[in-house]
Amino acid sequence: MKVWITTVGKSPFAVINPIWMVCRKGEFIPERVYLIWNNAVMDIKKAVEGSIKIILKNYGVSEPEIIADESVKVREDDFKRFKEVLRDICNKELEEGNEVAIDMTPGRKFMSALSMALGFRKLNPVHRVYYLHLIDQRYQNKPLILIPFVLQKLYDMRGELREDSER
């Protein structure tokens, strides 16, 4: 099973567009998605859940599993709890033999940093760490299809930052 882990921030399309892009490219179509969230983004989380379900169904996932309950709720300023939730999800999914991708695009900087660190850990790293780079900020919080594709680039950071000796 393919698993996608992301955070929900104040910009819904920062959450939606990366998963949409990775599906569009056919690189990684997840069947299970974890949305790590907090009280400040509760309304956004609901909209994101619905959008992700529609996207995944359009890419052939008949019953997408979206996990966005209290178990993945983290206070915005609780760095330690965020790390624990992210680590526990990764460990559980990897132990089950699933292919795991973390999206570091949305959320606060510390969330992106911890997401990337977990993706690169020596013991039991995740398979992919995605970042959707928006080149022109005028398109911030616009849906993927309304942004010219030359103005956005999807990176798999594990591949981008791999040492030449590892390639």
Side-chain angles (χ1 to χ4, degrees):
M1 175 181 285
K2 292 187 177 181
V3 177
W4 183 270
I5 305 166
T6 190
T7 56
V8 179
K10 303 228 183 234
S11 172
F13 287 107
V15 184
I16 296 165
N17 286 348
I19 197 168
W20 194 354
M21 177 71 92
V22 79
C23 288
R24 183 180 171 96
K25 289 180 136 212
E27 286 183 15
F28 192 93
I29 300 173
E31 300 146 274
R32 180 179 297 148
V33 175
Y34 287 88
L35 299 174
I36 303 172
W37 62 284
N38 62 62
N39 281 336
V41 298
M42 190 174 302
D43 291 338
I44 293 167
K45 176 185 71 96
K46 290 176 185 170
V48 165
E49 282 182 70
S51 297
I52 289 173
K53 280 185 182 177
I54 291 167
I55 290 166
L56 295 179
K57 284 182 178 185
N58 280 316
Y59 284 95
V61 180
S62 59
E63 292 296 323
E65 183 181 357
I66 311 290
I67 299 167
D69 58 16
E70 293 290 321
S71 71
V72 291
K73 181 180 175 185
V74 178
R75 271 192 2 255
E76 187 179 36
D77 60 349
D78 193 343
F79 311 130
K80 196 174 207 175
R81 171 91 173 117
F82 178 81
K83 178 185 171 190
E84 289 168 358
V85 167
L86 189 59
R87 183 196 60 221
D88 292 350
I89 293 168
C90 290
N91 289 344
K92 173 187 172 286
E93 295 296 339
L94 290 166
E95 285 168 10
E96 290 179 9
N98 294 325
E99 188 175 346
V100 178
I102 296 176
D103 177 22
M104 60 178 276
T105 308
R108 298 287 193 173
K109 287 179 181 150
F110 84 88
M111 295 171 176
S112 296
L114 288 171
S115 296
M116 191 170 203
L118 252 163
F120 280 84
R121 64 187 176 174
K122 293 272 189 220
L123 184 61
N124 218 12
V126 301
H127 299 90
R128 299 164 189 246
V129 178
Y130 283 108
Y131 173 65
L132 182 58
H133 178 64
L134 184 59
I135 296 163
D136 187 335
Q137 295 303 309
R138 288 180 299 169
Y139 293 96
Q140 193 168 352
N141 211 24
K142 300 279 188 222
L144 184 76
I145 58 170
L146 295 182
I147 304 170
F149 281 94
V150 297
L151 296 180
Q152 52 189 329
K153 182 162 168 86
L154 181 69
Y155 291 97
D156 177 355
M157 300 304 287
R158 287 190 51 81
E160 290 293 322
L161 298 176
R162 185 175 296 134
E163 297 293 327
D164 287 337
S165 63
E166 297 176 67
R167 291 181 194 230

